[in-house]
Amino acid sequence: MHVFNRARCQQIFAALASISLLAGCGLLTDDGKSEQKRIVVGTTSMPTTLDPAGAWDGSWELYRNIFQTLLSFPTGSTKPQPDAAQSCDFTDSANQAFRCTLKKGLKFSDGEPLDAKAVKHSLDRIRSIGSKVGPKDLFGSLDRIETPEPLVVVFHLKTADATFPFVLGSPAASLVSPKAYPADKLRSDGKVTGSGPYLLGSYKEGSEAVLERNDDYQGFAQRRNDGVTIRYFTDSAKMVTALKEKEIDATYRGLSAEEIKDLQSPASHAKGVQMVENVGAEIRYLVFNPKDPQVAKPAVRQAIAQLIDRGALVAKVYQGTAEPLYSMVPKGVVGHKTPFYDRFGQADPNKAKKILKDAGITQPVELTFWYTTDRYGASTAAEFAELKRQLEEGGLFRITLQGKPWKAYQEGYKNGEYPVFGRGWFPDFPDPDNFIAPFVGKENAVGTPYEPSEILTDLLPKSRREGDRSAVAHEFERAQQIFAEDVRLLPLWQGKLYVGAREDIAGAERALDPQTAMQMWELYRKTSW
């Protein structure tokens, strides 16, 4: 493997490497049979599609468990390691040719071989299909794929890209059977053909996914349970009740601050519930769409940045489960700075009023803020209510709030329909590039073209030529300054990671990968002491 120095970046993921102190007696792993019972996990993060070419969102949580990738991130690792691949490496000093040799004998659940042609098919179709909400933009540096030998794949890149191995280690690069997945359209029969740790035994949209152990799996994951049932909830309160009533064994994503506090309380502990807290790189932010005539005015965006009180937002809505964020690159990641604080300081209505007045804006600015009602948990509505309160308090803005379920919401922002909207970001891979690059370019992760030339033509290309990722801080510090100058994106807060589980469930400390996806194979039921 190509070596990447991530010493400074690793601290945000250090918690993921902690060894469970709750291991029970007599536990056996893949080779054993005792005490490997089924685990039931609750989440509010429902897949938008079962085809990995059509999703760049929380669907990755399911993909991580049912598909393989060439590389992956074993628990505690912040650089990609071989999974379906036997080995991978850059073959040139320019970081433009990346070669992988696959393991022998791999096959998909339909019996088809997982070989070089299957890898090429899997990644080529992402770009051919070009789904607006798919992960194609992560492969922007990829030029072409060659298969010189049955088990050898060579990725030729348009430009140097030291982050490309990280993309291959993300669920964006999930490998699928060519026989089961069309080259030019998404699979639509509601089934899955993969080679991951689990097979998708059954799936009921919006209800549950039943994962069964894949006996043909050859990869790094050491499964500690017999299988997993994932239950999907639209109401986090019902999910918490299910955990307390022993209807589910663990829960992740979608908990409100109040629910986290509740599950951390002595009363919940008395009911056999534990909460595991990890350092997180999850962020929340606002996106400004310059297609809107009001938002197109820099002064309007700057005034909003000047008015929002992140401290009050976090205190009132998130109660210590998050912290204020003043950059798109969160604390703990290489190059993190606080450019929005440096530029705007504390919330100040008088400064905001002056910004608007100097731009000739003397009447209250009317805007609609959009948010998703069922993606990020019950606190989202309260968060936007608090933003509305802060912006309207001084009479400078009149805010209308609108919410939509995730599928419709996603379609709306990708079509440029919302003037201001909220998004969450969970890292695709642990590198500062992933907190800058996805948000710039004509086509990007938020659906609003944003093309800062210095970032696109200088900073990103320069940083991607550097294999030692701890040496790219300067480029990303400058990129953060540009974000604060343009105010096209407005970071709000950085969250912590929480897993709630019954007291007889172990492995929660190890269950989150660098994409903050749940590695279901780490969870297991403890035996008696």
Side-chain angles (χ1 to χ4, degrees), residues 110-299:
D110 61 357
E112 292 294 302
L114 198 174
D115 55 13
K117 290 183 179 178
V119 172
K120 177 175 168 58
H121 173 84
S122 298
L123 301 188
D124 278 347
R125 67 187 295 268
I126 292 172
R127 298 187 297 163
S128 296
I129 293 170
S131 169
K132 283 187 176 182
V133 292
K136 62 181 176 62
D137 293 340
L138 280 173
F139 296 93
S141 64
L142 180 59
D143 181 22
R144 69 188 190 281
I145 304 172
E146 290 183 344
T147 56
E149 299 176 33
L151 295 179
V152 175
V153 187
V154 181
F155 301 94
H156 295 279
L157 308 182
K158 301 172 186 175
T159 58
D161 187 0
T163 70
F164 187 71
F166 289 77
V167 176
L168 292 182
S170 75
S174 295
L175 302 176
V176 298
S177 169
K179 185 177 179 181
Y181 290 81
D184 56 355
K185 63 180 179 180
L186 296 177
R187 184 174 179 176
S188 58
D189 63 359
K191 297 180 180 179
V192 164
T193 307
S195 62
Y198 298 99
L199 304 176
L200 186 62
S202 64
Y203 180 74
K204 297 178 182 177
E205 185 174 358
S207 178
E208 70 174 20
V210 177
L211 310 186
E212 308 289 354
R213 286 166 65 97
N214 179 6
D215 292 336
D216 294 321
Y217 169 70
Q218 297 182 51
F220 74 91
Q222 297 296 311
R223 293 160 297 186
R224 296 169 174 254
N225 53 61
D226 277 339
V228 178
T229 297
I230 305 173
R231 286 186 54 191
Y232 298 111
F233 293 82
T234 56
D235 185 339
S236 59
K238 292 181 179 178
M239 184 168 66
V240 169
T241 298
L243 180 63
K244 291 180 177 179
E245 298 300 323
K246 302 182 181 180
E247 296 171 6
I248 60 176
D249 297 306
T251 183
Y252 174 56
R253 290 210 198 284
L255 296 173
S256 69
E258 291 80 4
E259 288 160 349
I260 292 171
K261 293 293 186 182
D262 175 37
L263 292 174
Q264 290 174 327
S265 70
S268 291
H269 292 170
K271 290 185 177 182
V273 174
Q274 57 175 319
M275 282 296 286
V276 177
E277 177 183 316
N278 283 324
V279 177
E282 168 194 0
I283 68 172
R284 292 288 192 277
Y285 58 98
L286 294 177
V287 182
F288 295 103
N289 183 358
K291 285 184 178 180
D292 181 86
Q294 294 282 42
V295 174
K297 302 171 184 176

Side-chain angles (χ1 to χ4, degrees), residues 69-81:
T69 45
L70 286 172
L71 302 170
S72 197
F73 294 89
T75 300
S77 173
T78 56
K79 64 180 182 180
Q81 305 291 336

Side-chain angles (χ1 to χ4, degrees), residues 465-487:
R465 290 192 292 269
E466 178 57 68
D468 179 0
R469 304 305 291 161
S470 66
V472 298
H474 172 76
E475 287 77 18
F476 289 107
E477 289 169 6
R478 174 58 188 150
Q480 291 168 80
Q481 291 177 353
I482 294 171
F483 275 10
E485 292 166 4
D486 294 344
V487 198

Side-chain angles (χ1 to χ4, degrees), residues 322-333:
E323 59 182 315
L325 180 64
Y326 297 93
S327 169
M328 292 296 288
V329 178
K331 289 176 62 176
V333 175

Side-chain angles (χ1 to χ4, degrees), residues 94-110:
N95 289 343
Q96 285 187 250
F98 194 69
R99 178 187 177 101
C100 290
T101 301
L102 278 79
K103 295 175 181 175
K104 295 180 180 179
L106 296 181
K107 62 181 179 179
F108 294 103
S109 55
D110 61 357

Side-chain angles (χ1 to χ4, degrees), residues 2 18 54 129 150 172 219 260 288 292 295 300 425 454 500 509 514 517 524:
H2 190 76
S18 61
I129 293 170
I260 292 171
F288 295 103
D292 181 86
V295 174
V300 170
W425 186 252
E454 185 179 350
E509 295 87 347
Y524 62 92

